[in-house]
């Protein structure tokens, strides 16, 4: 086998690997971040944008930095801001769904330590597609400075 034939085979193999990886990549995660905390703060929020290539649902999130991780929704009803857990978040095909401080977001509760600006927080997202197939997505969320709304006072 010549060097050119060998290179073609390697390139073809890498192409197949790329296609296999693309076939399993059902949900893209972008701009994942976690709000920094002060020492002793019991909770924080995680935020990101999710885009699924087929109708899917975000079922749960887990992280080693918190004893309990829940998906919450912030909403206004009768001029009162409410926040509470939800069972899942719909991810319509091709539509970017933002998890942000003013809507759906991830609550990290019972923190195991302070989350400091510049750190990376590992998150594992569990997503289910329309066929019922589940996928785990590993994300490293950057920690951003303290600012905005403090969720630690809400229960």
């Amino acid at each position: 086998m010549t060097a050119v034939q060998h290179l073609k085979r390697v390139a073809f193999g890498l192409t197949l690997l790329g296609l296999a990886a693309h076939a399993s990549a059902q949900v893209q995660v972008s701009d994942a971040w976690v709000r920094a905390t002060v020492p002793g703060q019991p909770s924080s929020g995680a935020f990101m944008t999710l885009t699924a290539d087929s109708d899917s649902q975000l079922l749960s999130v887990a992280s080693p930095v918190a004893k309990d991780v829940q998906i919450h929704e912030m909403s206004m009803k009768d001029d009162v801001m409410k926040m509470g857990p939800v069972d899942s978040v719909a991810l319509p095909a091709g539509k970017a769904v933002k998890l942000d401080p003013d809507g759906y977001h991830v609550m990290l509760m019972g923190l195991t330590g302070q989350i400091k600006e510049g750190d990376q927080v590992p998150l594992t997202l569990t997503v289910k597609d329309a066929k019922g197939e589940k996928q785990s997505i590993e994300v490293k969320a950057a920690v951003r400075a303290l600012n905005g709304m403090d969720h630690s006072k809400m229960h």
Side-chain angles (χ1 to χ4, degrees):
M1 180 181 339
T2 68
V4 171
Q5 288 173 321
H6 181 71
L7 282 174
K8 283 183 180 178
R9 284 189 178 184
V10 168
F12 180 70
L14 290 174
T15 301
L16 288 178
L17 280 174
L19 290 174
H22 178 71
S24 66
Q26 299 164 348
V27 177
Q28 296 291 333
V29 180
S30 60
D31 196 30
W33 65 282
V34 172
R35 184 172 283 133
T37 63
V38 295
Q41 184 175 325
S43 61
S44 186
F47 315 96
M48 65 201 75
T49 300
L50 304 171
T51 308
D53 58 16
S54 65
D55 287 343
S56 301
Q57 290 180 303
L58 174 63
L59 298 179
S60 65
V61 181
S63 178
V65 305
K67 293 181 183 99
D68 188 23
V69 182
Q70 297 178 0
I71 304 167
H72 279 204
E73 181 180 21
M74 186 79 72
S75 61
M76 282 293 262
K77 186 172 183 180
D78 300 325
D79 293 330
V80 176
M81 179 88 55
K82 294 188 177 212
M83 181 182 81
V86 296
D87 292 330
S88 64
V89 176
L91 304 174
K95 183 178 181 219
V97 176
K98 282 185 175 267
L99 303 187
D100 63 31
D102 299 321
Y104 290 113
H105 57 278
V106 176
M107 286 299 302
L108 303 167
M109 299 176 294
L111 295 175
T112 58
Q114 184 179 1
I115 298 174
K116 298 178 183 171
E117 185 177 3
D119 286 351
Q120 297 275 317
V121 173
L123 302 170
T124 303
L125 284 59
T126 301
V127 175
K128 180 172 78 171
D129 66 18
K131 297 176 196 163
E133 295 174 3
K134 290 184 181 178
Q135 174 189 19
S136 290
I137 303 166
E138 301 294 328
V139 176
K140 295 276 191 217
V143 178
R144 294 186 186 167
L146 287 165
N147 60 13
M149 190 167 174
D150 180 6
H151 283 62
S152 69
K153 307 290 186 280
M154 297 184 170
H155 297 287

